[in-house]
Structure formats: C-alpha cells, structure tokens
Amino acid sequence: MSKDIKHEIREARPKLRDVSPLAYWDVLVMGWFNIVLGATFIFGIDETRFAASLLIVNELFTFDFWGVIFILIGLLKLYSLRINNWKLSRSTLFLGVSVKAAWMIALTIRTFISPGTLFLNILWITIALLQIGAYIWFMPPSTASYNQRKKDR
Amino acid sequence: MNEVIISLISMIGALGVAYIVNVASKKVQAKKAEKQPKDRMEQMFDGYERLIKQKDVEDDRKQRYIKTIEEELRLTKEHVGHLENALEATKDELNESRVENAELRAKLDEMREEYKIVKQENLDAKNK
C-alpha cells in the first residue's frame, strides 16, 4: 500500500481523540507510562537491592525482560495513536490489561508474604483498574462499527 | 520455588482477568449497540410490519366472517332441502286426496243413482 493511500485511510477514520477522549488519553498516558516503567526496569533498577523479585522466575524473566515488554507495549500504544488505528489501540490496551493483571496478582500475593509493597500494590491496582475501565467502557470496538452506527443515526 | 508458584498463579490469574475483561467489554459494546436509536429505514420497516399485522388481524376477522356465512349457508341449504321434501310430500298427499275425493264422489253419485232407483221402485210398488 502506498504512503498516500495509507495517509488517506488515516485521515478518513474519525480520530479516537474526538470519538472517545478518555480512551485516547488512557492509551497515551499508559503508553508513556509503560515506556518510562520499562526503561526504569532496564536502566534504573539494581536487581541486587531486591530481596524478592516479582515475576522473575529464572534468567529469562528478568527485570530487563519485563522492561523490554513494557517498552514494546508502550511504543505500540503510541504507534496505534499515531496511525489512528483503533483496533491496534484496543489490542495494546488489552495486552496491557493482561500484563498489569499478572503483576497486580503477584504484587497482591507479595503484599501478604513480604510487607512493604502495600503502597506499590495499591498504586498498581489503581492503574490496572483504570486501564480495565477504559478498555471495557470507553474503548470503541472498531472504526467500521463506529462508522456503521454513525450512518445508522 | 515460591517465585515459580507466584508467577504461575499470577499468569493464570491474569488470563482469568483478561477473559473477564474481554467478556465484560463485549457485553458493554452489545448494550451500547442496542441503545442506539433506529435509523429511518428500520423505522419504515417497523411501520410496514405494523401495517402487515393490522392486515393480518383484518384477514383473521374476514376468515371468521366467512366461516359464519358458510355455516349459515349450510343451515339454509338444509332448511331448503327440508322444505322441498315437505313440498313434495304435500303435493303427493294432495294428489292422493284428490284421487280419493274423485272416487268417493263417483261412489256417492253411484249410491244416489241406486237410491233414486230404489226410491222409484218403492213408489211404484205403493201406487200399485
């Protein structure tokens, strides 16, 4: 597909920001949050300072691994907004929900077995719930169905 | 070992949460779609459907009316049949009665004639 056609398609779609501002801001903020969090995992965390890790079970699932995952999800979110692809925004939001839910559960368990992560847990649960809420109530299903509804009206 | 168990629980839990979120999202979208106002074409179709339903009701009423008329017609035909039979029977009775009357009249005339003769003979006998 040529660049012109891609551009035209992008312009033809209604902007996510116009259709669902809350979903747009959630994807944008979460995108940057994921990038910052991922970068922090890779560059800013000294693993030796952690008495117990969260989802790190071997040499593969390290903080670096999760850092890369979070950065990728964040970049994908921003890219989906850039090309105004609702489906991709929705998928990345769902991916974020899944990863955040895994971390949320791990942090909750950790809160009970090693005190000191309660505040972090509450913060993380809030972020996860915000993302879940945005996905359930504010993220439109697809551009096609939105256009169909608009036509019907 | 704890790390592995926590990770496994987290992953399985995350799958469960993801599933629930996905189902909830689909339900919310479906409800939103239901709440959408109907477009003009759909409203027009609904109008046609109401008209067809009205016609159906009319047709049912006509059907019931036809059945009533058919029943009336059947009863009337039956009644006409009975009347025709009665008419035939009455005509037969009339013919028979007329024949009997003619026979009786003939007999009466005959008896009168006989009486006249007998009376004349008696008068003649007295006069002699």
Side-chain angles (χ1 to χ4, degrees):
Chain A
M1 206 184 287
S2 74
K3 273 189 174 179
D4 287 342
I5 294 171
K6 272 187 181 174
H7 179 74
E8 277 176 25
I9 290 172
R10 198 170 64 202
E11 291 303 311
R13 286 181 192 134
K15 300 274 182 201
L16 182 61
R17 191 176 178 174
D18 300 330
V19 174
S20 179
L22 274 169
Y24 171 82
W25 285 110
D26 190 86
V27 175
L28 185 71
V29 171
M30 284 299 161
W32 282 113
F33 172 80
N34 284 348
I35 292 168
V36 172
L37 187 70
T40 310
F41 279 167
I42 295 170
F43 304 111
I45 282 182
D46 181 7
E47 284 188 42
T48 55
R49 289 176 60 199
F50 283 85
S53 52
L54 292 167
L55 287 171
I56 300 157
V57 292
N58 51 34
E59 290 300 314
L60 180 64
F61 297 111
T62 58
F63 274 111
D64 286 349
F65 168 81
W66 286 111
V68 171
I69 294 287
F70 277 111
I71 287 175
L72 279 178
I73 294 174
L75 286 173
L76 265 176
K77 278 181 175 148
L78 296 182
Y79 178 68
S80 71
L81 291 181
R82 173 81 184 83
I83 60 170
N84 193 32
N85 187 336
W86 297 7
K87 200 179 172 187
L88 187 60
S89 294
R90 198 174 163 77
S91 304
T92 53
L93 209 57
F94 186 67
L95 204 60
V97 165
S98 307
V99 172
K100 280 190 179 63
W103 277 72
M104 185 174 74
I105 293 164
L107 278 169
T108 307
I109 297 169
R110 184 69 66 200
T111 304
F112 288 104
I113 59 174
S114 64
T117 51
L118 182 63
F119 179 71
L120 179 65
N121 191 23
I122 290 170
L123 196 70
W124 192 268
I125 287 173
T126 308
I127 292 167
L129 288 178
L130 278 174
Q131 201 160 340
I132 287 170
Y135 182 79
I136 293 176
W137 285 289
F138 301 116
M139 195 67 212
S142 70
T143 327
S145 62
Y146 172 79
N147 286 338
Q148 186 58 45
R149 274 195 222 160
K150 205 174 167 188
K151 253 189 227 170
D152 289 348
R153 268 183 244 136
Chain B
M1 191 61 190
N2 270 349
E3 306 301 322
V4 178
I5 293 168
I6 291 173
S7 299
L8 279 175
I9 293 169
S10 307
M11 293 297 176
I12 294 164
L15 285 176
V17 170
Y19 176 75
I20 291 165
V21 168
N22 195 27
V23 170
S25 164
K26 278 178 183 166
K27 280 189 177 175
V28 168
Q29 295 297 339
K31 274 188 183 174
K32 275 184 184 173
E34 275 175 18
K35 281 181 185 172
Q36 291 297 318
K38 286 182 176 176
D39 62 40
R40 282 182 184 177
M41 287 303 284
E42 278 182 11
Q43 283 176 357
M44 207 167 74
F45 291 149
D46 286 352
Y48 284 148
E49 199 168 342
R50 278 197 297 275
L51 282 175
I52 290 167
K53 273 182 187 166
Q54 275 179 4
K55 271 179 69 62
D56 278 344
V57 172
E58 279 288 305
D59 289 352
D60 288 345
R61 193 184 61 78
K62 280 177 191 166
Q63 183 67 33
R64 283 198 302 273
Y65 188 55
I66 286 169
K67 273 187 183 170
T68 312
I69 291 171
E70 276 174 352
E71 183 61 20
E72 284 284 321
L73 189 65
R74 190 185 64 76
L75 289 173
T76 309
K77 275 181 181 171
E78 228 170 70
H79 188 58
V80 169
H82 289 317
L83 285 176
E84 279 172 353
N85 290 341
L87 182 66
E88 284 300 314
T90 312
K91 274 181 182 171
D92 290 346
E93 271 180 31
L94 179 67
N95 287 336
E96 277 174 26
S97 180
R98 277 181 179 160
V99 170
E100 273 177 11
N101 280 356
E103 283 172 4
L104 287 171
R105 193 174 294 281
K107 270 187 183 176
L108 182 65
D109 290 343
E110 198 178 322
M111 282 165 72
R112 272 187 179 145
E113 284 301 317
E114 273 180 22
Y115 178 69
K116 266 184 190 173
I117 294 166
V118 170
K119 199 175 175 184
Q120 192 62 46
E121 283 174 357
N122 285 342
L123 275 175
D124 291 344
K126 264 186 189 176
N127 291 334
K128 279 180 184 177

